[in-house]
Amino acid sequence: MSSGEIITTEMKSFIGLETKPKTYLVEKHSVERFAEAIEDENPLYLDKKYAEKIKGGLITPPTYIRLFKANKLEKKFPEPFSNLVDGGSSYSFYKNIYVGDEITVISKLKDLFLKTGTMGEMLFKVTLISYMNQKKELVSTQEIVTITYGKGEKTFLG
């Protein structure tokens, strides 16, 4: 099967589609629990007086954004394969996130491409997630690569 037959026009139509925005409130207790879970005792996350003096308020650890999930697209991607592998993530951080901030998350498919490996053809989906604060400032982005491959019964929820 050629790549033209696997990546259809319908699949390509998903490139650039954005999810509806989803907004989260950054709560102090949540930040404390997250810092505890990752065993990071940085006073910028935990000590209000210290954080106010240094940063103007309590901030979150950078990877705290992983708690914020984007909405799903209204239409379902026509996935041709049955198995899923996490191809990794990369992050860019632009501004601190403060306790009390409202963070809005939007996700969009950035690219689709095929590669062939020992398990046959694999579809790579590159997704960009943007995180903006209540001031409409971009605070962070995350690029995620998802790899799907194989035929048969799906091993993941679609």
Side-chain angles (χ1 to χ4, degrees):
M1 191 179 298
S2 73
S3 64
E5 294 171 338
I6 293 175
I7 298 179
T8 65
T9 302
E10 181 185 9
M11 288 177 187
K12 289 178 187 174
S13 75
F14 278 76
I15 296 173
L17 288 182
E18 291 186 346
T19 61
K20 287 185 177 178
K22 187 172 188 178
T23 302
Y24 295 86
L25 176 63
V26 179
E27 297 173 328
K28 183 178 185 276
H29 183 68
S30 175
V31 174
E32 291 169 343
R33 291 193 49 145
F34 186 85
E36 180 183 328
I38 64 170
E39 298 182 349
D40 190 338
E41 297 177 5
N42 187 327
L44 293 173
Y45 315 143
L46 305 169
D47 183 333
K48 186 175 180 180
K49 285 183 181 180
Y50 176 81
E52 283 177 347
K53 186 168 64 171
I54 303 297
K55 293 287 185 179
L58 289 169
I59 63 171
T60 68
T63 55
Y64 182 82
I65 62 169
R66 296 217 33 164
L67 298 178
F68 307 139
K69 303 298 180 203
N71 281 316
K72 293 187 181 218
L73 285 173
E74 291 181 7
K75 66 181 196 175
K76 188 173 170 70
F77 184 81
E79 180 58 59
F81 295 119
S82 60
N83 300 301
L84 174 81
V85 174
D86 180 350
S89 293
S90 62
Y91 298 88
S92 295
F93 302 101
Y94 307 107
K95 297 209 175 264
N96 289 318
I97 297 174
Y98 289 86
V99 169
D101 278 354
E102 292 180 6
I103 302 299
T104 299
V105 183
I106 296 173
S107 175
K108 73 176 176 181
L109 183 63
K110 186 176 162 184
D111 196 12
L112 291 172
F113 59 92
L114 283 177
K115 286 189 178 183
T116 302
T118 57
M119 302 184 76
E121 296 207 272
M122 302 174 291
L123 178 64
F124 286 68
K125 292 182 261 185
V126 182
T127 302
L128 180 67
I129 303 176
S130 299
Y131 304 87
M132 298 186 69
N133 65 19
Q134 67 278 6
K135 298 174 189 172
K136 307 291 185 221
E137 298 170 323
L138 184 65
V139 295
S140 186
T141 57
Q142 177 183 6
E143 189 172 273
I144 299 170
V145 177
T146 304
I147 306 165
T148 57
Y149 66 94
K151 298 290 183 186
E153 186 175 334
K154 287 205 187 259
T155 60
F156 63 94
L157 301 174

